[in-house]
Amino acid sequence: MLGARTIITREPRNIQALLATQFKDFAIGPRKYKAFSPLLGNGIFTIDGPGWEISRALLRPQFARSQITQLENLEEHLQILMDCITEGEEVDLQELFFELTIDTATHFLCGESCNVLLHRRNVLRQGKEVDDEVPGRKFAQCFNTSQDHLVSRFFLQDLASLHNPKEFKDSTKFCHEFIDRYVKRAIEAHRSGKGGNTTASGTQKYVFLEAIVEETQDPIILRDALLNILLAGRDTTASLLAFVFYLLVRYPEVEKKLRATIYDHFGDECDGAEKPITFETLKGCHYLRWVVDETLRVYPTVPLNSRMAVVDTTLPLGGGPDQKSKVFIPKGTSVEYSVYAMHRREDIWGSDANWFRPERWGEPRNSKEYGNFEYLPFNGGPRICLGQQFALTEASYTIVRMFQRFKRFENAELNQFVRCNTKLTMAVGGKGTFVKCFKS
C-alpha cells in the first residue's frame, strides 16, 4: 500500500504475539502517530515506550472499581435520553446513544457535561431549531469531523501530512479549545485548594480530571489524556449499544428472553417493583452479559487494528507450505489484525459463527488452544483497554433502564442487509438504528 508492505492476520496466536508475548517487538509506530497526533497529541493511542508507560500509569488508577460503579451521573443523562423518545414514533437510537456517551464521558472526565441531550430535549419541548453553535453540540460535531479526517490521514500512511484541510484544522482547534477550558479551570481549582464536589446524594463526586491534576499540572498532558479517553469511552460504548438494539429488534426471541431476565433481576419500572442496579447485580445477570458479549463478537467496535515491527522478528503462524511455521516480519513492516474476521471463524466459533446467538456463551469453548486471544473486543496484553469494565457497566445499565422504561421495541427500518460504518471505530451504517419504542 503506497509502497509500504503490510501483513494481515486473523490468527489468535499471531495476535497474542503482537499484543503480549512479543510485545516489545511491535509498536504503534510513527505512521499512526503522524496520522492521529494533530487531534490526540501524545496520548495512550499514539505513543510508545516510556511516554506511553507514563501516560498509562497516570490513567490506570482512575479506572478502579470505586469509580466505575458510580451510576448516579449515568441515570441523570439516561432520564433525558428517554425523554427524547416519543412513544410509537421511529427514532435513531444510535444518534441518541452517541449523545448519551459524550454527555456522560464529559461529565465523568471533566466534572461538567456538554449537555447535548439536554439541548435536544429543550428543542423538542419548545419547538425551536437545533442550534449547532451551542458549545457542547459543536464540540460533539467537531470531534466527529476530526475523526473522519484522522481515518483519511491514516490510510495515507507516510503521506498523512498531505491531508490537512481547513475543516480538519478548524475542528481540531475547537476540540482543543473546548477541553482546554476544563483543564484551565481544574488547574486553577487545584492551586487554590477549591477542587472537589459532591453528588446529589451528598457523597464525594469523582471527577477524572481533578484526580489526574493531583499528578500533573501540565495542560498539554492533561488535554491529551482527556481526548484519548474521550475517544475510547464515547464512541465504543455508543456503537455497542446501537448494535445491541439493532440486533434485538431483528431477533425477537432474544429480546423476549432478555426482557424476562431483566425483569427477574431488576424489576419493572412500570409496576414499581424496581430493584437496585449495581455493578454486582449487573455482573450477576448472565444472559444480559451474554447478549453484550455476543454483540461485541459479531460487531467488535474496533474491527481492525495494527502494529509495526520495530526489529526483525517473526510471528508464530503463516510460514511454510502448510502455513503452520513461523513467518518472518522485517523491521518496519506493518501488521494488521482483523478482530472482525477472527470473531467469525467457523473453526473457532462453530458453523453458525456469522449468526447472533447469545446462548453460545453458556456453552464450553476451548479457549486455551488459542491462548485466550480468540475474543478481543477490548484488545489484549499490556495495552488492554483500561475502561473495559467502565464501558460494560455503562452499556449494561443503559440496556436495563431502556427495558424497564419501554415494554416493547419494534424494528423501524425494513432493509434486511446490515451495513457497517467503519472509521476509527465501527458503528451501524445505512440509516442507523431506527426503532419504535412502546411503553405498553
Side-chain angles (χ1 to χ4, degrees), residues 20 33-34 40 96 101 109 115 127 146 156-157 167 198 247 280 306 319 322 359 399 431:
Y33 178 80
K34 183 184 291 186
L40 301 177
L96 292 181
T101 53
L109 294 171
N115 288 323
S146 294
L156 285 170
Q157 299 203 26
E167 181 185 56
T198 56
L247 289 164
E280 287 76 16
S306 68
D322 59 357
E359 286 73 16
I399 295 166
K431 289 184 177 181

Side-chain angles (χ1 to χ4, degrees), residues 50-104:
W52 166 75
E53 292 173 3
I54 293 170
S55 182
R56 189 170 175 96
L58 176 69
L59 301 177
R60 186 196 300 273
Q62 314 315 326
F63 285 97
R65 184 168 160 178
S66 59
Q67 275 78 63
I68 68 168
T69 56
Q70 295 194 29
L71 300 174
E72 192 172 312
N73 289 346
L74 177 55
E75 176 64 25
E76 174 187 335
H77 298 290
L78 258 175
Q79 287 290 341
I80 301 173
L81 179 147
M82 292 187 288
D83 286 345
C84 294
I85 299 174
T86 302
E87 184 177 8
E89 292 187 7
E90 66 176 45
V91 60
D92 183 3
L93 288 182
Q94 177 164 258
E95 186 175 358
L96 292 181
F97 289 145
F98 268 86
E99 293 180 359
L100 170 71
T101 53
I102 199 165
D103 280 354
T104 56

Side-chain angles (χ1 to χ4, degrees), residues 103-167:
D103 280 354
T104 56
T106 49
H107 202 157
F108 170 76
L109 294 171
C110 306
E112 182 181 315
S113 172
C114 58
N115 288 323
V116 182
L117 278 172
L118 184 62
H119 176 68
R120 176 187 286 271
R121 188 176 70 178
N122 290 340
V123 166
L124 290 171
R125 286 182 173 179
Q126 299 168 15
K128 295 180 178 179
E129 293 290 327
V130 173
D131 185 358
D132 289 332
E133 292 303 312
V134 171
R137 184 175 178 84
K138 184 175 180 180
F139 170 71
Q141 292 176 335
C142 287
F143 200 55
N144 288 339
T145 300
S146 294
Q147 288 183 58
D148 291 345
H149 289 289
L150 291 188
V151 175
S152 299
R153 290 172 61 88
F154 179 66
F155 285 145
L156 285 170
Q157 299 203 26
D158 293 330
L159 303 177
S161 57
L162 294 179
H163 182 84
N164 196 31
K166 184 176 185 300
E167 181 185 56

